Amino acid sequence: MSKTPHSELDYIQSVINVEKIDPSPYQHRRRFDEHKLKELAASIQREGLIEPIVVRSVGKRYQLIAGERRFRGVRDLTEMETIQAQIVIADDLQARRISAAENLQREDLSAIETIEAIVEIVDAELIEDIKYLSMGEKPADRVKTLLGKLDSVRRSEGLGYEVASEAKLTSNKFIGSVQEIFKTLPKSLEWRSFFNHDLNLIVETGQEVREGVRSLFDSFQ
């Protein structure tokens, strides 16, 4: 498993009252398999929490960054009042990146959720760039626009066509970052393959349909 972003941040090991922890605003999945949560809760009660959750301090409370299933299992399905946690100093962008990286490393992801997690990682890594931010209102739109531009340049160059200077500048600006992001995913992936074969599955599928697919996927877990 690849290194997660929070491993590079300073943190304090602590034990926190579960009632003082608020959910992560960056966790897009709201449906969790109850049977598996019960199994996880029972395992935690028997063997303890092998890997602490990750939180950050927000005012007098804590905000969950990573470890949604562990947190829910302890809070909702055990009588444990506290949970082991790593308290990290992280801004909103760092918290989003940590959450996105952890989501992609889950073992129970559907195809749609995997694509959404990759989009979240790419978007979180590039969002501070003003030019990238202008490429769309939603993460999937921005990622599709950027990868489309990069793919167009690569295709034109491969065919020996002249590439417009603006398109070339955009390609030169982002291609290295994009290649590095996809190379360092938990499972390395070629960005052009993701753009041509995977991305449209969520761009062209409405949110209600995606939620329906998630529900159907959960029913088979």
Side-chain angles (χ1 to χ4, degrees):
M1 184 175 294
S2 62
K3 183 185 293 185
T4 53
H6 74 267
S7 64
E8 300 174 358
L9 299 175
D10 292 332
Y11 64 86
I12 299 173
Q13 294 279 9
S14 185
V15 177
I16 302 175
N17 190 304
V18 294
E19 296 300 325
K20 293 184 177 181
I21 303 174
D22 297 317
S24 168
Y26 308 109
Q27 173 57 259
H28 301 295
R29 188 180 189 187
R30 299 304 177 194
R31 186 180 291 108
F32 294 84
D33 184 270
E34 185 175 354
H35 177 69
K36 288 192 174 183
L37 277 182
K38 288 180 178 179
E39 289 183 340
L40 176 61
S43 173
I44 292 173
Q45 285 185 303
R46 288 194 313 268
E47 304 165 10
L49 193 63
I50 297 175
E51 183 179 358
I53 64 171
V54 180
V55 301
R56 63 173 176 166
S57 178
V58 179
K60 295 182 178 180
R61 296 181 62 79
Y62 298 93
Q63 184 183 88
L64 186 67
I65 296 179
E68 181 87 17
R69 293 180 68 251
R70 282 163 277 159
F71 171 64
R72 285 175 179 249
V74 169
R75 182 194 64 183
D76 299 340
L77 299 171
T78 78
E79 296 182 357
M80 297 168 61
E81 296 181 351
T82 60
I83 189 170
Q84 292 174 296
Q86 292 181 352
I87 305 173
V88 300
I89 300 175
D91 59 25
D92 290 349
L93 185 55
Q94 289 171 319
R96 183 185 174 196
R97 287 170 176 168
I98 294 170
S99 180
E102 191 203 37
N103 280 340
L104 190 56
Q105 293 182 41
R106 296 204 321 265
E107 295 180 354
D108 61 341
L109 287 179
S110 66
I112 285 179
E113 288 174 329
T114 298
I115 297 168
E116 289 175 332
I118 293 173
V119 164
E120 183 71 6
I121 286 177
V122 175
D123 193 66
E125 289 293 333
L126 300 177
I127 196 64
E128 291 181 298
D129 188 283
I130 295 176
K131 185 175 182 64
Y132 170 76
L133 184 60
S134 69
M135 293 183 183
E137 294 185 0
K138 298 179 181 179
D141 294 334
R142 290 191 288 268
V143 172
K144 181 179 181 181
T145 297
L146 175 60
L147 297 189
K149 290 176 181 293
L150 299 183
D151 187 57
S152 178
V153 169
R154 290 297 174 270
R155 288 179 182 274
S156 295
E157 290 179 336
L159 294 171
Y161 296 152
E162 183 176 349
V163 178
S165 58
E166 178 64 24
K168 188 67 174 178
L169 286 173
T170 299
S171 178
N172 290 340
K173 180 180 178 65
F174 291 104
I175 188 62
S177 297
V178 168
Q179 288 175 336
E180 183 64 19
I181 292 169
F182 279 85
K183 179 182 177 181
T184 56
L185 292 174
K187 291 184 179 179
S188 180
L189 177 65
E190 211 281 319
W191 69 265
R192 291 184 70 178
S193 175
F194 178 75
F195 172 71
N196 288 308
H197 303 297
D198 302 324
L199 188 54
N200 278 339
L201 185 59
I202 67 169
V203 173
E204 297 179 356
T205 302
Q207 186 63 34
E208 290 186 5
V209 174
R210 299 208 299 269
E211 288 298 329
V213 172
R214 284 194 187 93
S215 180
L216 180 62
F217 178 80
D218 287 342
S219 70
F220 286 99
Q221 299 301 300

